[in-house]
Amino acid sequence: MVERSIQSLPLSARRHWISNQEADSRAGETFEKKNPATGELLVTHARGRREDVEAAVASARAAFPGWAKTDPNERARVLWKAGELIMARLEELAHLEVLDTGKPITNAKTIDVPRAADTFFYYSGWATKLHGETIPVRGPFLNYTLREPLGVIGAIIPWNFPLLLAARKVAPALAVGNTVVLKPPEESSLTSLELGRILAEAGLPPGVLNVVTGHGEEAGAALVQHPDVAKISFTGGTETGRVIMRSAADTLKKVSLELGGKSPNIIFADADVTAAARAAVLAAFYNQGEICTAGSRLLVERKIHDQVLEVVSQGASKMQPGDPLDPGTQMGPLVSEAHLGRVLSYIERGQAEGARREIGGSSRGPGYYVEPTVFSGVREDMTIAREEIFGPVLAVIPFDDVDEAARIADATEFGLAAGIWTRDVSKAHGLASRVRAGTVWINTFNRFDAASPYGGVKQSGFGRENGRAVLEELTQLKSVWVALA
Ligand code: NAD
């Protein structure tokens, strides 16, 4: 059932979520968000500024001692219940995600919403399982460690998988006793606000999760600068990551950064070439290519180059963008007019620098639609081979042997993910250990699980989300000494 709030557009105005209640922005300001599929007004949000962030952080700070001391079984129960409520509201949440981002409804229903719920189920289990150690030290002493929550976590997320990325930050932070102020992206704040309500319904006390909507340079920057925020957990663009890290230095707060990518997807001639080429289409164009791990550089062994290019071009031509609310649609519009302009300028640049446009590249309105675009004859020094486009644009690059593939794979400032397709086990594992990336997929692509650590190297950032790894980053160790004699 699609709920109350979605039956007519534009949606009713949304407000911040502070202390388990809606709140207007202190200055009474708002901003507008458009529906990417139509270009029409979708919703008006409260425009958060410093004073709104201050109210949210004060609420989170006041709630921290109580939540940190809450019985871990109770924290586990709240998180599990939140996962169940997310699943119970799957239709509505998926619908909101589509209206906000333009992603196909089938993807939202099968990935975004259920994976967000999984994240809550997974971290529910960890609430009772993270603990310190006893350490054998010299002398008559008992030494043990306590793993303590950090305090208020500032979570800042991008627009491409809003609910899922919010879940990845909120669930582990709450599991280990932190409180959170979440700043969702200005392009897609709807499901973050719903998450606040869902957690309140699950029994989360007021102030433990607060959501402040607004612009990055206003609400986001105020959160980063706030002295009572212990850590900023950021996912977004590399440039923004740099700004955040500089700004966080003033208060010496911890920072983790999940940033951009330009991931190589490498197909060797000894792979199941047709399967690899078909998978390369989804690797590049899933979610309109608006995915940080997109396999946006397709490295193909020269002797199968033309065969792969043909399969990829055919596959891309079948992914024509359409109405994202139609269950048959595989590709929706891009998230905003500004982003469409950016992606189109990269397509022009690719042509101007001499790459061959094999297919796609046209845009149409209303809405921010662009066709999946495949470039061949791409050289490593071209802009479309180096910069993150974050749209449906694929650069196909030939190579001759494994050493050349490894060299080209690393010829980027990013290091988020890589794909390797071969039937040769030694080659696959050898290359997996050579490639500088946070995640490597062998004979598959874009696999994620709440249990498996995920993050980048080089300018794709640092810190890990998912799995146990993030819990260590969201807690600090205290060493306690007890004299025994
Ligand atoms: P963005 O960096 O523009 O914005 C991300 C978030 O940061 C938004 O909420 C924005 O409001 C906020 N922000 C912007 N300026 C800020 C500032 N000065 N201080 C504090 N907050 C600020 O990124 P985007 O356009 O929303 O998303 C696209 C980028 O996100 C791409 O580069 C993509 O690769 C990256 N991304 C990375 C991952 C990952 O896991 N590594 C996942 C998804 C997206």
Side-chain angles (χ1 to χ4, degrees):
M1 187 192 68
V2 173
E3 258 202 42
R4 48 184 169 85
S5 50
I6 318 175
Q7 277 156 5
S8 62
L9 297 177
L11 303 172
S12 56
R14 300 301 206 253
R15 309 196 289 164
H16 305 308
W17 184 255
I18 300 177
S19 302
N20 280 359
Q21 284 179 349
E22 290 186 20
D24 283 319
S25 78
R26 295 295 187 271
E29 290 177 293
T30 58
F31 67 96
E32 292 188 343
K33 150 75 192 164
K34 289 183 175 161
N35 180 348
T38 61
E40 289 166 357
L41 177 67
L42 174 65
V43 65
T44 304
H45 286 290
R47 179 169 174 169
R49 290 189 186 264
R50 186 167 305 279
E51 52 275 29
D52 303 291
V53 169
E54 273 173 6
V57 173
S59 172
R61 198 175 171 208
F64 174 64
W67 183 244
K69 287 200 189 75
T70 296
D71 181 341
N73 287 292
E74 168 61 9
R75 294 206 297 262
R77 193 199 60 73
V78 170
L79 293 184
W80 188 271
K81 181 73 185 164
E84 287 181 336
L85 291 171
I86 289 171
M87 287 311 286
R89 290 177 59 184
L90 183 140
E91 293 282 334
E92 182 201 358
L93 290 167
H95 200 110
L96 286 174
E97 210 70 312
V98 173
L99 292 175
D100 238 358
T101 64
K103 67 174 62 211
I105 185 81
T106 304
N107 297 9
K109 280 190 195 175
T110 54
I111 300 290
D112 295 71
V113 180
R115 294 289 160 83
D118 279 355
T119 306
F120 279 92
F121 295 136
Y122 175 78
Y123 284 106
S124 165
W126 270 111
T128 50
K129 291 173 190 67
L130 199 69
H131 51 70
E133 297 175 317
T134 55
I135 299 170
V137 291
R138 202 182 304 123
F141 299 100
L142 164 66
N143 178 244
Y144 63 92
T145 58
L146 296 173
R147 252 197 193 279
E148 298 181 333
L150 300 177
V152 179
I153 307 296
I156 303 178
I157 57 167
W159 45 259
N160 58 340
F161 288 84
L163 181 66
L164 179 54
L165 296 179
R168 268 196 202 166
K169 297 201 183 299
V170 170
L174 300 186
V176 292
N178 295 294
T179 57
V180 177
V181 176
L182 171 64
K183 209 300 278 173
E186 43 275 65
E187 295 86 351
S188 54
S189 301
L190 290 169
T191 50
S192 291
L193 291 167
E194 293 306 312
L195 190 61
R197 288 177 184 283
I198 284 172
L199 276 153
E201 195 182 332
L204 196 73
V208 178
L209 171 63
N210 307 277
V211 185
V212 177
T213 52
H215 296 294
E217 312 73 42
E218 297 170 358
L223 192 57
V224 177
Q225 287 157 12
H226 202 296
D228 289 340
V229 173
K231 172 176 174 157
I232 291 292
S233 173
F234 173 75
T235 301
T238 294
E239 268 318 308
T240 315
R242 273 191 255 283
V243 171
I244 285 178
M245 197 166 162
R246 270 189 219 112
S247 170
D250 289 339
T251 45
L252 280 179
K253 55 172 63 73
K254 292 174 193 287
V255 179
S256 62
L257 303 174
E258 301 274 351
L259 307 177
K262 190 76 188 175
S263 298
N265 189 17
I266 308 165
I267 309 183
F268 289 95
D270 57 8
D272 177 342
V273 174
T274 308
R278 284 196 186 131
V281 176
L282 274 186
F285 302 127
Y286 184 79
N287 208 55
Q288 301 75 240
E290 296 169 326
I291 175 164
C292 49
T293 52
S296 52
R297 291 185 301 147
L298 183 61
L299 277 49
V300 185
E301 194 165 347
R302 201 174 298 275
K303 54 188 152 187
I304 53 161
H305 175 272
D306 293 354
Q307 181 191 349
V308 168
L309 188 59
E310 196 184 324
V311 177
V312 167
S313 299
Q314 272 174 11
S317 68
K318 286 191 193 130
M319 276 185 91
Q320 286 311 307
D323 176 0
L325 285 169
D326 179 339
T329 294
Q330 283 184 284
M331 184 182 285
L334 301 187
V335 75
S336 66
E337 193 168 13
H339 189 52
L340 173 66
R342 199 172 155 265
V343 170
L344 291 176
S345 77
Y346 274 112
I347 294 172
E348 276 169 30
R349 191 93 175 257
Q351 282 176 289
E353 291 182 5
R356 200 167 41 255
R357 181 153 60 97
E358 296 285 342
I359 189 161
S362 308
S363 71
R364 66 168 171 81
Y368 315 128
Y369 293 93
V370 62
E371 289 174 335
T373 310
V374 177
F375 278 105
S376 64
V378 178
R379 290 190 322 268
E380 291 161 57
D381 60 327
M382 291 180 180
T383 309
I384 58 167
R386 288 185 294 106
E387 295 186 15
E388 183 185 47
I389 300 174
F390 217 60
V393 182
L394 176 63
V396 182
I397 306 171
F399 68 84
D400 285 306
D401 59 29
V402 69
D403 288 332
E404 192 181 18
R407 187 188 58 71
I408 299 175
D410 277 344
T412 162
E413 64 179 16
F414 298 109
L416 196 54
I420 299 170
W421 298 81
T422 172
R423 289 191 174 104
D424 180 334
V425 175
S426 303
K427 193 196 281 179
H429 290 286
L431 190 53
S433 74
R434 278 171 82 177
V435 169
R436 294 180 66 204
T439 300
V440 178
W441 291 292
I442 297 173
N443 295 331
T444 186
F445 205 92
N446 270 344
R447 299 287 159 197
F448 305 93
D449 194 292
S452 178
Y454 168 77
V457 300
K458 300 200 281 184
Q459 303 216 6
S460 292
F462 52 81
R464 291 293 176 267
E465 291 196 322
N466 289 344
R468 180 194 167 108
V470 71
L471 299 174
E472 289 171 359
E473 297 184 15
L474 288 165
T475 50
Q476 57 206 351
L477 276 180
K478 180 182 277 173
S479 177
V480 182
W481 291 76
V482 184
L484 297 178

